[in-house]
Amino acid sequence: MVNTSKGIDWLVETLRRDQSPDGSWHYPFETGLSTDAYMIILLRTLEINDEELIKGLAERILQRQEKNGAWKLFYDEVSGNLTATVESYYALLYSGYFEKQDKRLRAAKKFILSKGGLNEVSMFTKVMLSITGHTKWPTFSPLPIELILLPFNFPINFYSFSVYGRANLTPLLILTDKKFTLTTKKSPDLSDLRGGRADSDTWIRSEEIRSLFSFMEKGVKNLMGLPQQLHELAQQRAKKYMLDHIEADGTFYSYYSSTFLMIFALLALGYKKTDPVIKAAIDGIKAMRTTINGLPHMQYTTANVWNTSLISYALQEARISPEDSMVLKANQYLLARQHDKFGDWVIHNPNSLPGGWGFSDINTINPDVDDTTASLRSISRMNSSDAWNRGINWLLSMQNDDGGWAAFEKNTDTKLLMFLPIEKGQFILTDPSCADITGRTLEFFGNYTNLSRDHQSIKKGVNWLLNHQEWDGSWYGRWGICYIYGTWGAVTGLTAVGVPSSDASIQKAIHWLHHIQNDDGGWGESCYSDNNETYKPLEASTLTHTAWALDTLISVSEKPTTEIRKGISFLLKNLDKEDWTTTYPKGQGMAGAFYIHYHSYRYIFPLLALAHYRKKFEK
């Protein structure tokens, strides 16, 4: 007989110990080494000599180097990652604490050249290299800055892009237009990393975009005004967009990458390094630093609202009273961060009032559906009808016309953007409906509201999920790794709104989860799944993947099956485990480029699975 109480108690006490005085949980949002490398490069380029931070970041980067000289994005990445290695090599060199002759840098250089050199790195790394004088800006600009002036009724316009796309493209439009470069006397020489060709137009590798580009140019020419006036107006519009979306901490949308680019875009427009806006932006991204194993890490953003909403919800599922001080403080924190400002989401959703929640601690204008359902679950047992009603209304209003829900905005998924010369464009430029968020939204409506199962929103959401199941029975999860995550979201959502476990789609999903269970009783999935667009096993079990798979099976089972018992046994045996599987990324931002290790997940999802097992089977 399985007894989950000991494991649940251990998890609850761990979370109680780790809660911050303001009621939130500050578990790190760890995103590899890119932000650490960029911070060193930013500080050195702006000649800000924060030596303690630079030394700490350099030490963290060095600790992650593989024996072959490369750096990886995830544990099972074969040989290494070229882009991560170039960024790390450049940062270590620019830090001033390492010479090219250092054997570790020589090994990195050898790896870089073996993979094609600077010409083969990702587009955003090419942008950074162009800004800092190591790569030429392309002669053919990926997008004309006048794009920002195109009217809403034009097939492609500024608001066709996702909010994340706009945040990063706005400063990029300015930088590519100005072909801005900033170097210092200490700028390292990276010319020996070229690997043969030195072709700036390797940025553009698709012939299909030429016609699309000319199509946009025609749209621009139809605008009223002289070309030079339009050009200057576009620059001003881009600058205004950035300045209008600066959060209280000085960051642009509270994202590291967009703030990094904004700093250089403002310099390109004539701002001084000492301008208050630029100083505030630097202070803002510095404030996002965290400490991991004694060394600094620059977070891409903070995950405080996400951590807190999920943890508080999981604690309540584990029978911690809403009156418990831990839950009360968490919910007070969340209620204070419900949005009351209009953000860009209103462009495609003009008939709703604010009421969502954002991801980071200081986010006030960029709410998302996932954080909103998570926060509403957490406050569901409180007497907070105003916050509750505003949240529900905003959620319902954010459903896409196709029936699914996306992360940040509504109906922001035009297929035309796929032809633009933006690497990983589907992750940067669009915000499509996805199985994980659609499923979690249905789960919330089904288990926490009185919404009828015949409600049009529910029926459309169910149809979207059923129409987007993969051939093997899984669902692709956009914001987690990956098919296990999507399947967990989809199945728990479908069952919550009345789809019976006997339904063929549910049975197919159950069969798939049984089929991929490991011999030790757990589950594990590789980050290669998202890039390959097909499930790839990790060849090892992780606590988080196991918890997602278990929670899925528990939701559709009348009694504990052999697979469930084995999974619960794996969790209980390994709750305090510390190895590469516990630090392996479980979240994704951009396939093949940007992965997230949520330090909170190893507690949240095992607690949720164990709590649901106890609730259903240990009566």
Side-chain angles (χ1 to χ4, degrees):
M1 180 70 182
V2 173
N3 188 327
T4 58
S5 292
K6 190 176 176 184
I8 289 172
D9 291 346
W10 182 83
L11 287 164
V12 168
E13 289 315 305
T14 300
L15 292 167
R16 192 181 293 279
R17 182 193 68 218
D18 291 349
Q19 189 177 26
S20 298
D22 68 357
S24 71
W25 278 269
H26 292 190
Y27 288 117
F29 180 72
E30 187 179 350
T31 50
L33 297 171
S34 187
T35 45
D36 299 334
Y38 277 50
M39 195 70 199
I40 293 174
I41 294 162
L42 174 69
L43 293 173
R44 286 293 187 233
T45 305
L46 299 182
E47 298 177 295
I48 299 170
N49 299 319
D50 188 338
E51 296 309 311
E52 183 187 355
L53 178 56
I54 290 170
K55 277 183 186 173
L57 293 172
E59 180 61 29
R60 182 168 192 270
I61 291 170
L62 204 58
Q63 281 189 7
R64 300 293 188 90
Q65 189 177 24
E66 300 291 322
K67 288 177 182 174
N68 68 344
W71 280 265
K72 291 182 175 183
L73 295 179
F74 48 89
Y75 180 85
D76 55 325
E77 188 172 29
V78 177
S79 74
N81 184 275
L82 172 63
T83 293
T85 304
V86 166
E87 292 171 344
S88 298
Y89 176 92
Y90 180 15
L92 290 176
L93 206 53
Y94 212 172
S95 75
Y97 296 107
F98 303 91
E99 301 290 332
K100 282 189 176 184
Q101 290 72 35
D102 187 297
K103 66 177 184 180
R104 294 162 296 192
L105 265 61
R106 287 207 315 269
K109 177 182 173 181
K110 184 179 178 183
F111 176 83
I112 291 166
L113 291 174
S114 75
K115 298 295 181 183
L118 297 188
N119 286 323
E120 301 302 320
V121 298
S122 74
M123 196 195 90
F124 274 92
T125 305
K126 284 179 180 167
V127 168
M128 181 271 289
L129 290 169
S130 298
I131 292 168
T132 56
H134 300 289
T135 301
K136 289 182 181 177
W137 287 103
T139 54
F140 178 77
S141 178
L143 293 171
I145 194 168
E146 289 85 357
L147 168 75
I148 204 166
L149 302 176
L150 290 172
F152 290 162
N153 60 4
F154 195 73
I156 290 184
N157 62 75
F158 186 56
Y159 290 95
S160 302
F161 299 99
S162 68
V163 63
Y164 181 81
R166 290 194 298 279
N168 287 285
L169 282 176
T170 304
L172 184 55
L173 288 172
I174 294 168
L175 289 163
T176 53
D177 181 65
K178 294 280 191 181
K179 295 185 169 43
F180 178 77
T181 294
L182 182 61
T183 58
T184 70
K185 290 176 183 175
K186 294 182 179 178
S187 292
D189 178 10
L190 302 183
S191 59
D192 54 347
L193 299 183
R194 286 226 176 276
R197 289 180 304 126
D199 178 10
S200 66
D201 286 336
T202 55
W203 281 44
I204 314 300
R205 296 188 175 175
S206 167
E207 291 304 315
E208 293 167 311
I209 64 99
R210 301 284 168 171
S211 60
L212 185 61
F213 187 81
S214 63
F215 173 65
M216 285 191 291
E217 277 196 319
K218 283 179 187 171
V220 167
K221 284 174 183 171
N222 286 334
L223 295 170
M224 298 297 288
L226 298 171
Q228 187 56 35
Q229 290 173 336
L230 289 172
H231 193 78
E232 290 169 5
L233 179 61
Q235 287 180 358
Q236 290 302 311
R237 184 78 58 83
K239 180 177 83 170
K240 186 176 188 305
Y241 183 82
M242 292 189 302
L243 297 178
D244 285 351
H245 292 84
I246 291 175
E247 287 283 10
D249 66 345
T251 60
F252 178 30
Y253 263 126
S254 78
Y255 292 137
Y256 187 99
S257 62
S258 54
T259 306
F260 177 94
L261 292 171
M262 178 188 75
I263 290 166
F264 288 109
L266 291 174
L267 291 172
L269 292 171
Y271 280 61
K272 303 294 184 195
K273 293 179 190 176
T274 53
D275 191 278
V277 176
I278 288 178
K279 288 174 77 173
I282 293 163
D283 289 343
I285 54 177
K286 270 190 180 183
M288 293 197 291
R289 72 184 274 183
T290 186
T291 301
I292 300 172
N293 298 328
L295 292 171
H297 170 56
M298 304 310 302
Q299 297 179 104
Y300 189 83
T301 186
T302 60
N304 296 27
V305 172
W306 182 237
N307 286 335
T308 305
S309 58
L310 288 176
I311 290 169
S312 177
Y313 152 61
L315 287 168
Q316 291 174 79
E317 290 296 281
R319 301 177 186 165
I320 302 300
S321 167
E323 304 304 314
D324 185 290
S325 63
M326 177 168 48
V327 176
L328 270 177
K329 282 165 67 180
N331 281 335
Q332 284 160 2
Y333 171 88
L334 291 173
L335 285 171
R337 278 157 182 79
Q338 187 176 25
H339 289 196
D340 54 18
K341 294 180 184 176
F342 286 96
D344 282 7
W345 55 267
V346 79
I347 300 290
H348 298 292
N349 182 16
N351 298 319
S352 180
L353 294 172
W357 275 262
F359 185 81
S360 73
D361 187 52
I362 50 81
N363 184 328
T364 63
I365 52 172
N366 191 25
D368 68 88
V369 169
D370 231 0
D371 275 280
T372 301
T373 61
S375 296
L376 287 169
R377 283 187 197 92
S378 179
I379 67 166
S380 62
R381 296 171 177 90
M382 293 182 72
N383 183 16
S384 50
S385 58
D386 177 59
W388 180 259
N389 291 334
R390 289 199 299 123
I392 297 277
N393 290 335
W394 187 80
L395 265 183
L396 284 169
S397 77
M398 288 297 289
Q399 187 172 25
N400 284 334
D401 291 348
D402 65 10
W405 276 268
F408 299 101
E409 293 184 326
K410 186 174 177 177
N411 299 330
T412 314
D413 189 25
T414 174
K415 299 298 181 263
L416 282 172
L417 297 181
M418 293 297 99
F419 293 107
L420 290 177
I422 306 293
E423 195 176 309
K424 308 289 182 189
Q426 71 271 36
F427 296 96
I428 301 168
L429 304 180
T430 64
D431 188 14
S433 296
C434 51
D436 42 329
I437 293 178
T438 301
R440 298 306 291 153
T441 305
L442 289 179
E443 189 277 341
F444 168 73
F445 283 135
N447 288 336
Y448 289 85
T449 74
N450 295 322
L451 211 61
S452 164
R453 291 172 179 181
D454 291 326
H455 191 284
Q456 204 57 33
S457 290
I458 300 287
K459 291 204 290 193
K460 284 172 66 180
V462 167
N463 287 336
W464 188 92
L465 279 176
L466 295 179
N467 289 332
H468 287 81
Q469 188 173 22
E470 303 290 328
W471 64 270
D472 60 4
S474 68
W475 277 268
Y476 172 78
R478 165 66 182 89
W479 298 98
I481 305 296
C482 194
Y483 290 92
I484 295 176
Y485 185 67
T487 303
W488 167 67
V491 171
T492 54
L494 289 170
T495 54
V497 294
V499 176
S501 57
S502 58
D503 187 273
S505 61
I506 304 285
Q507 285 299 310
K508 203 172 178 185
I510 293 168
H511 177 76
W512 179 74
L513 285 172
H514 288 172
H515 176 68
I516 63 167
Q517 187 173 21
N518 294 329
D519 291 341
D520 63 5
W523 282 262
E525 183 171 358
S526 171
C527 290
Y528 275 121
S529 281
D530 64 352
N531 222 19
N532 294 350
E533 297 184 0
T534 186
Y535 171 75
K536 177 84 167 70
L538 184 57
E539 309 300 346
S541 298
T542 78
L543 290 165
T544 303
H545 285 121
T546 300
W548 288 335
L550 269 175
D551 201 45
T552 310
L553 295 177
I554 291 165
S555 73
V556 296
S557 301
E558 292 305 315
K559 59 183 181 180
T561 61
T562 303
E563 291 82 4
I564 290 174
R565 288 185 191 280
K566 285 174 68 181
I568 291 289
S569 178
F570 173 86
L571 278 189
L572 292 173
K573 276 188 213 164
N574 292 285
L575 284 178
D576 58 353
K577 187 179 185 179
E578 293 286 350
D579 66 5
W580 69 266
T581 65
T582 51
T583 60
Y584 192 83
K586 309 303 187 310
Q588 60 154 316
M590 199 182 303
F594 182 58
Y595 295 98
I596 304 154
H597 167 34
Y598 290 91
H599 286 231
S600 59
Y601 277 19
R602 62 164 305 163
Y603 307 122
I604 294 167
F605 293 109
L607 178 59
L608 205 56
L610 292 173
H612 287 161
Y613 180 92
R614 180 171 70 178
K615 186 177 181 180
K616 197 163 187 178
F617 304 130
E618 292 180 5
K619 294 177 181 172

